[in-house]
Amino acid sequence: MAFSSFHPPQRTLMGPGPSDVNPRILEAMSRPTIGHLDPVFVGMMDETKVMLQKAFMTKNELTMPVSAPGSAGMETCFVNMVEPGDTVIVCSNGVFGGRMKENVTRCGATAIMVEDDWGKPVDPQKLEDALKTNPNASTVAFVHAETSTGAVSDAKTLVEIAHKYDCLTIVDAVTSLAGSPLKVDEWNIDAIYSGTQKCLSCTPGISPVSFSKAATTRIQNRKTPVQSWFMDLNLVMAYWGAGTQRAYHHTAPINSLYAFHESLVVLHEEGLENSWARHAKNHDGLKAGFEAMGLGFFVDEASRLPQLNAVNIPEGVDEAALRSTLLNSYNLEIGAGLGPMAGKIWRIGLMGHASSETNVLFCLGAMDAVLSDMGAKIDSGKAVSAAMKVFA
Ligand SMILES: *Cc1c(COP(=O)(O)O)cnc(C)c1O
């Protein structure tokens, strides 16, 4: 049998990630591979670090990309910040809070869960109550932007409360970075991780992380070694740290880091705040369109993420059939609901390069047509012009 090259179709990615990759970033990835200790490569690493600090709005020295996807950034934070026997308070309002709990348990620590309903932000009062009843807690973990529902939590307030009870914080910013306001230093976040394939519109497989002075001190003074050799920041720092010898730790994913570097150049050319504003504007257009169609949003307006839109599925619609028609006839990918939200919501991402007026109009037009063909009870023919009014 003869094998042949793989040529994927050209899709429009408007799900929960990956998002459409900017062609500039794909082009950067195809440049010649050089050695990971080549001085030219090391120069690019230094520049990447500075651009990443700007994107996180931090001066944290320990700021770098982990050579693996967002889940590995999550694990890097937990295995370095948590020791066996610790107590960690995990706020959970969706899928990713559940994964944090799993990380805590596997570190040999105890997870105290603070649960909120899916679609609601984390309740600061519930966190404070949990801290009062668990004075031995050393860490508070929560998801800033819950991609399973499209709800944003008040990270600044949650960190403030955690610090009041002498806890350090671990924050999941996989979906928030570059898509909506995130201020690591101003909000005093201690350990944070993100991903490349959401609002940075880079190829998947890299996880930017950053650690405050307090977090770094904790990591350097651990009683037990980090159980993961690969993720032990005490070792990784010797490769990414300033003024170090750049000792070999692992072979960096060189071409993926070209892509990551380019994604940060693209971000800073636009400007971080302009990127937030573009995400907000496109969300407004999408919202006007769905409302004109008669469809509602799952999350209350005050805690809605612009980059991840959970839209209620109208009654009687075969939601999987709609998604497969969009994929097969329009080359358009949108996301399904996860876990308890399956069959109840669609998750429509407006992330990074995919957050454009053109995509909003395309998605609304396509969904209007497919839903009408399926006989769904929608107000057809109004969505696109409602969005265009927002953009005018
Ligand atoms: C996507 C996502 C992750 C996991 O990132 P991967 O790159 O898929 O490993 C973690 N947390 C949140 C909030 C996410 O949206």
Side-chain angles (χ1 to χ4, degrees), residues 262-309:
E262 187 71 17
S263 74
L264 291 166
V265 172
V266 170
L267 174 66
H268 292 308
E269 274 177 11
E270 179 178 22
L272 185 57
E273 294 188 1
N274 293 336
S275 179
W276 299 341
R278 172 170 52 85
H279 284 84
K281 180 85 183 276
N282 290 324
H283 162 78
D284 287 344
L286 192 78
K287 173 177 157 257
F290 278 120
E291 284 174 353
M293 217 187 277
L295 299 192
F297 279 67
F298 174 59
V299 175
D300 292 341
E301 189 138 21
S303 35
R304 250 178 235 166
L305 283 166
Q307 61 272 53
L308 197 285
N309 297 271

Side-chain angles (χ1 to χ4, degrees), residues 73-310:
M74 176 188 279
E75 196 146 338
T76 297
C77 287
F78 282 92
V79 298
N80 282 278
M81 297 285 288
V82 178
E83 294 201 55
D86 285 358
T87 298
V88 179
I89 300 197
V90 176
C91 306
S92 177
N93 59 344
V95 165
F96 294 100
R99 288 196 184 175
M100 286 178 151
K101 177 187 183 187
E102 188 67 24
N103 270 270
V104 171
T105 309
R106 287 176 188 227
C107 288
T110 303
I112 305 289
M113 299 305 289
V114 173
E115 304 272 0
D116 276 292
D117 288 342
W118 286 41
K120 299 277 182 249
V122 172
D123 181 350
Q125 187 57 51
K126 283 191 192 165
L127 170 62
E128 182 141 19
D129 294 345
L131 283 160
K132 274 186 192 143
T133 47
N134 294 279
N136 57 338
S138 58
T139 307
V140 168
F142 64 88
V143 178
H144 181 217
E146 218 348 306
T147 322
S148 59
T149 63
V152 64
S153 290
D154 181 355
K156 182 171 186 268
T157 301
L158 296 173
V159 171
E160 251 169 43
I161 294 169
H163 286 170
K164 208 165 105 187
Y165 293 84
D166 292 326
C167 285
L168 297 188
T169 48
I170 297 176
V171 179
D172 179 322
V174 176
T175 285
S176 46
L177 179 64
S180 48
L182 171 65
K183 304 176 177 182
V184 171
D185 282 2
E186 200 180 307
W187 298 350
N188 290 308
I189 292 169
D190 297 290
I192 190 162
Y193 60 92
S194 188
T196 45
Q197 78 277 28
K198 310 237 170 156
C199 297
L200 285 173
S201 273
C202 184
T203 47
I206 299 284
S207 177
V209 296
S210 185
F211 296 84
S212 71
K213 268 219 172 63
T216 309
T217 304
R218 176 188 284 188
I219 295 165
Q220 286 167 338
N221 294 308
R222 287 174 60 100
K223 294 191 283 292
T224 54
V226 174
Q227 67 265 34
S228 161
W229 175 85
F230 183 70
M231 289 173 187
D232 184 346
L233 287 170
N234 290 301
L235 303 176
V236 179
M237 272 184 252
Y239 182 55
W240 273 97
T244 58
Q245 293 298 307
R246 302 282 183 196
Y248 168 66
H249 176 262
H250 66 276
T251 307
I254 293 156
N255 293 58
S256 291
L257 289 174
Y258 299 165
F260 181 50
H261 178 276
E262 187 71 17
S263 74
L264 291 166
V265 172
V266 170
L267 174 66
H268 292 308
E269 274 177 11
E270 179 178 22
L272 185 57
E273 294 188 1
N274 293 336
S275 179
W276 299 341
R278 172 170 52 85
H279 284 84
K281 180 85 183 276
N282 290 324
H283 162 78
D284 287 344
L286 192 78
K287 173 177 157 257
F290 278 120
E291 284 174 353
M293 217 187 277
L295 299 192
F297 279 67
F298 174 59
V299 175
D300 292 341
E301 189 138 21
S303 35
R304 250 178 235 166
L305 283 166
Q307 61 272 53
L308 197 285
N309 297 271

